[in-house]
Amino acid sequence: MHLYWRLSRGLTLGVRAAVIDERNAVFLVRHSYVKGWHLPGGGVEPGETLLEALSRELQEEGNITLTQPPALHGVFFNGRAPSRDHVAVFVARHFVQSTPKARDAEIVETGFFPLDALPADTSQATRRRLKEIGEGAVISPLW
């Protein structure tokens, strides 16, 4: 009942993925509208499942297609983003990238980066999630 109450009063979800290749490098994106490097992802549209939204966002932001279901890492509260107050983060290790993503109006740059050599301006939330995933750091409920 409590979950239904929250959903009916505006709980909104976003999805993100730590897409990690066989070299232990993670796929990150730089958007035109926010500073730094981030895990790819975005909003869940009405009528979409989390995995449908994640698959759509990975295709849009990285030309990435999942070849096996990703593992759910966790759901995090993001108090700084009123339009998407909870973020579900998945770990995807089975995927193909058809071609590198070309720059467009939303995506300025993309790339795979070793987990131990992230770009200097990688967002703090992204760094926290990757420490949890890659180093076994304690999982925080906050984005």
Side-chain angles (χ1 to χ4, degrees):
M1 187 68 162
H2 180 65
L3 179 61
Y4 173 77
W5 182 84
R6 284 294 312 265
L7 289 172
S8 67
R9 285 165 177 74
L11 173 68
T12 56
L13 288 172
V15 290
R16 300 261 179 190
V19 179
I20 302 172
D21 69 12
E22 67 281 348
R23 298 169 299 145
N24 217 29
V26 63
F27 181 76
L28 299 176
V29 300
R30 268 193 337 111
H31 295 96
S32 60
Y33 51 85
V34 65
K35 291 179 128 186
W37 290 88
H38 303 267
L39 296 172
V44 179
E45 300 298 330
E48 231 177 7
T49 68
L50 293 176
L51 292 180
E52 288 170 341
L54 185 67
S55 294
R56 176 181 48 75
E57 290 290 344
L58 290 176
Q59 194 58 235
E60 290 173 3
E61 294 189 358
N63 296 326
I64 291 173
T65 301
L66 298 172
T67 58
Q68 290 185 24
L72 178 64
H73 173 64
V75 179
F76 304 89
F77 175 70
N78 184 356
R80 294 182 307 246
S83 65
R84 302 282 181 226
D85 61 8
H86 283 77
V87 181
V89 176
F90 292 86
V91 178
R93 295 185 183 271
H94 305 281
F95 63 92
V96 294
Q97 184 179 40
S98 58
T99 61
K101 173 70 176 168
R103 181 184 178 123
D104 62 24
E106 179 186 4
I107 305 298
V108 175
E109 192 174 4
T110 67
F112 281 90
F113 300 91
L115 288 172
D116 61 356
L118 299 174
D121 59 344
T122 299
S123 76
Q124 288 304 307
T126 297
R127 287 182 182 278
R128 279 192 295 277
R129 299 294 80 82
L130 293 175
K131 281 185 182 263
E132 294 165 1
I133 293 164
E135 299 174 18
V138 174
I139 296 175
S140 167
L142 304 177
W143 184 247

